[in-house]
Amino acid sequence: MKNNVKRLFGILSLLILIVITTVKCKKDTVEEVQVIDEPKPTAGFDYTVTSPTKFLEYQFTGSSTNYTSLLWQFGDDSTSVAVSPKHVYRFPGKYKVTLTTRNSQGYSAAKEVLLNIVDPNFDPTKIGENFIQTIGGKYSVNLEAGAGPDSNEGSKKMVDGDTKTKFLQAGFDGTQKCTFELNTPQVVGAYTLTSGNDGEDRDPRYWILQGSLDGIQYTDLHTVTVCPWPNSGERNVTKKYYFDNFIAYKFYRIYFKANRGSRLFQLSEWTINKKQP
């Protein structure tokens, strides 16, 4: 009898051990789910100008594949999620267009193109009206000729419309600033400088044209770091400069930071202009 009880107890213990082991093995077993990779996305597009008379309007045609979402960035703070969007830029200039595609697994692709949008009507041989003469305003300099602004070589000669007169300032130290406050704000996109009639070492070599709404905070609009007049010759010669600007500033300032080494500074004429006639 005792042996039968022992035998029964042993059998029950073995069954319990088998059940516990089986349950534990099931808990320890992690069912693996096979993930199938989706095809990787691609990003592609072409573009055209929609019309010769609408040079700011571009049609983009997408050719991307294997994506679930996309984003266009046109380089001017505008975006689109259309497959083949049309976009109209406000101004000429350089814009980086980026198309980014992504699939549901987080894989992405991108394509970038740099657009250089140029006004086909722009003529670099022409320059627009001189706002100093047509609009008028107040002219001032921080460093004046010794005999004053109305003297034979005073600062007013630099804006008198005569390329044969000049402004001459002694003691040049790289801080010469000439400022014109227009009577009414204007969008300036060009300017001219005319060299003086004397030694080339007095010619400006490094300058910055700046614009301001209030005459306090100025924005750099155009910078030149190489003297445009040769080391010999080209006296009283006018050079034209163009730059992108779409803000009507009331104040325009030219800041001369260096000449060719002389302690004298000279310039015959300065104009601030509309970009084109």
Side-chain angles (χ1 to χ4, degrees):
M1 182 68 177
K2 289 183 178 179
N3 290 335
N4 291 336
V5 172
K6 287 182 179 180
R7 186 177 303 158
L8 180 61
F9 181 77
I11 293 171
L12 289 173
S13 298
L14 181 60
L15 290 173
I16 292 171
L17 180 61
I18 292 171
V19 171
I20 293 173
T21 304
T22 302
V23 171
K24 187 175 185 301
C25 288
K26 286 184 178 180
K27 288 183 178 179
D28 291 342
T29 301
V30 177
E31 185 177 355
E32 294 184 3
V33 178
Q34 186 175 4
V35 178
I36 301 176
D37 284 341
E38 298 177 6
K40 300 299 188 295
T42 67
F45 64 89
D46 292 316
Y47 61 89
T48 57
V49 180
T50 58
S51 168
T53 60
K54 297 180 179 179
F55 69 95
L56 295 171
E57 185 173 285
Y58 277 70
Q59 175 65 59
F60 296 92
T61 303
S63 57
S64 305
T65 61
N66 305 325
Y67 63 90
T68 56
S69 63
L70 59 79
L71 176 66
W72 293 87
Q73 296 169 287
F74 297 111
D76 60 352
D77 297 327
S78 299
T79 61
S80 175
V81 293
V83 174
S84 297
K86 181 182 291 184
H87 184 67
V88 181
Y89 290 92
R90 294 182 62 196
F91 310 111
K94 293 183 178 180
Y95 301 93
K96 184 172 73 174
V97 179
T98 305
L99 171 62
T100 304
T101 59
R102 190 178 301 272
N103 69 7
S104 62
Q105 293 179 325
Y107 292 102
S108 63
K111 178 178 179 178
E112 293 182 351
V113 170
L114 182 63
L115 298 182
N116 185 16
I117 303 177
V118 178
D119 185 347
N121 300 312
F122 173 73
D123 185 348
T125 66
K126 297 179 181 179
I127 200 162
E129 65 177 293
N130 175 6
F131 289 131
I132 291 176
Q133 296 292 321
T134 59
I135 304 301
K138 182 180 179 181
Y139 175 67
S140 62
V141 298
N142 66 323
L143 299 174
E144 185 55 77
D150 295 306
S151 62
N152 189 47
E153 294 183 333
S155 61
K156 288 185 178 179
K157 299 298 183 182
M158 189 171 153
V159 294
D160 63 356
D162 186 352
T163 59
K164 298 303 181 182
T165 62
K166 73 175 182 182
F167 168 45
L168 180 69
Q169 192 270 323
F172 177 72
D173 61 359
T175 64
Q176 182 72 55
K177 299 182 181 70
C178 304
T179 305
F180 202 92
E181 178 186 356
L182 291 169
N183 286 331
T184 57
Q186 299 294 324
V187 177
V188 169
Y191 66 100
T192 70
L193 295 179
T194 303
S195 59
N197 64 339
D198 216 324
E200 294 90 349
D201 60 348
R202 303 176 182 183
D203 291 342
R205 177 179 63 81
Y206 174 16
W207 67 83
I208 305 172
L209 183 78
Q210 303 171 315
S212 175
L213 298 172
D214 56 9
I216 300 173
Q217 298 292 327
Y218 279 86
T219 299
D220 292 353
L221 301 176
H222 189 255
T223 300
V224 173
T225 58
V226 177
C227 185
W229 300 283
N231 287 323
S232 60
E234 290 210 353
R235 300 297 83 203
N236 297 118
V237 172
T238 300
K239 300 293 184 179
K240 302 181 182 72
Y241 296 94
Y242 300 90
F243 56 94
D244 290 328
N245 171 47
F246 308 101
I247 298 175
Y249 291 109
K250 185 173 177 61
F251 296 83
Y252 289 91
R253 180 173 77 182
I254 191 161
Y255 178 10
F256 295 101
K257 304 191 74 171
N259 63 7
R260 278 178 162 157
S262 175
R263 291 287 291 166
L264 298 174
F265 170 85
Q266 69 174 5
L267 198 67
S268 286
E269 196 71 16
W270 171 41
T271 72
I272 51 177
N273 308 67
K274 185 178 179 181
K275 192 167 190 176
Q276 288 286 284

